[in-house]
């Protein structure tokens, strides 16, 4: 069954099973798929299946609908292929069909006259977590405060022994 799988931390594991009927996605509960995240608009976009492709239409969202990091214009449609990423504001979703893909999704970028670069993106990887960075930052701040306290104590002891 075709589905959109949410990759963004805090929503991981949430999925939307897709049909050929239009499905609205947005922040508020009256959407068929609600994503209560501030960067997602109240009624962000519509999606529906057309064969194995997923058609996406932005509904005038504030923070944008992105396919392959390219922003979709308001009220315009674009096609998402299996394995590719759809981003609504800060929320990333991967389109999956459950079928084995014969080829990785490709993104073509023009780099100059007559030159084309084709990039592939691994479909099996999601967004990396910031947890490790936050832990290192917390430990660094704690060590910095500890060093400052020890220096202050050393100066107080030096100043007191001089009399």
């Amino acid at each position: 069954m075709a589905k959109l799988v949410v990759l963004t931390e805090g929503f991981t594991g949430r999925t939307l099973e897709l049909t050929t009927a239009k499905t609205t996605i947005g922040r508020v509960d009256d959407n068929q798929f609600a994503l209560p995240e501030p960067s997602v608009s109240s009624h962000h976009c519509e999606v529906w299946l057309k064969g194995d492709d997923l058609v996406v239409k932005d509904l005038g969202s504030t923070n944008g609908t992105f396919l392959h990091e390219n922003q979709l214009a308001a009220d315009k449609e674009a096609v998402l292929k299996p394995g590719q990423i759809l981003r609504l504001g800060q929320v990333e979703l991967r389109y999956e069909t459950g079928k084995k893909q014969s080829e990785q999704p490709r993104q073509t970028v023009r780099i100059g006259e007559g030159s084309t670069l084709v990039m592939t993106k691994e479909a099996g990887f999601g967004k990396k977590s910031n947890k490790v960075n936050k832990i290192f930052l917390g430990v660094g701040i704690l060590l910095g405060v500890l060093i400052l306290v020890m220096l202050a104590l050393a100066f107080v002891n030096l100043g007191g022994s001089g009399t």
Side-chain angles (χ1 to χ4, degrees), residues 21-96:
K22 288 184 180 179
T23 302
T24 58
I25 302 173
R27 186 178 66 244
V28 295
D29 290 334
D30 67 349
N31 291 283
Q32 284 97 349
F33 192 60
L35 290 168
E37 206 282 328
S39 68
V40 176
S41 291
S42 300
H43 299 94
H44 202 101
C45 68
E46 288 180 331
V47 296
W48 65 93
L49 286 177
K50 189 174 184 181
D52 277 344
D53 295 337
L54 182 66
V55 180
V56 180
K57 180 180 179 183
D58 184 83
L59 297 176
S61 64
T62 303
N63 293 313
T65 301
F66 296 83
L67 287 76
H68 324 293
E69 294 303 318
N70 296 317
Q71 187 168 5
L72 184 61
D75 296 324
K76 298 293 180 189
E77 298 175 1
V79 174
L80 194 65
K81 301 284 186 188
Q84 293 181 328
I85 303 294
L86 170 66
R87 183 166 56 87
L88 310 177
Q90 297 300 315
V91 178
E92 289 188 339
L93 305 101
R94 182 177 52 236
Y95 172 46
E96 297 179 356

Side-chain angles (χ1 to χ4, degrees), residues 58 73 89 95 101 115-116 121:
D58 184 83
Y95 172 46
Q101 294 176 28
S115 301
T116 302
K121 184 174 184 178

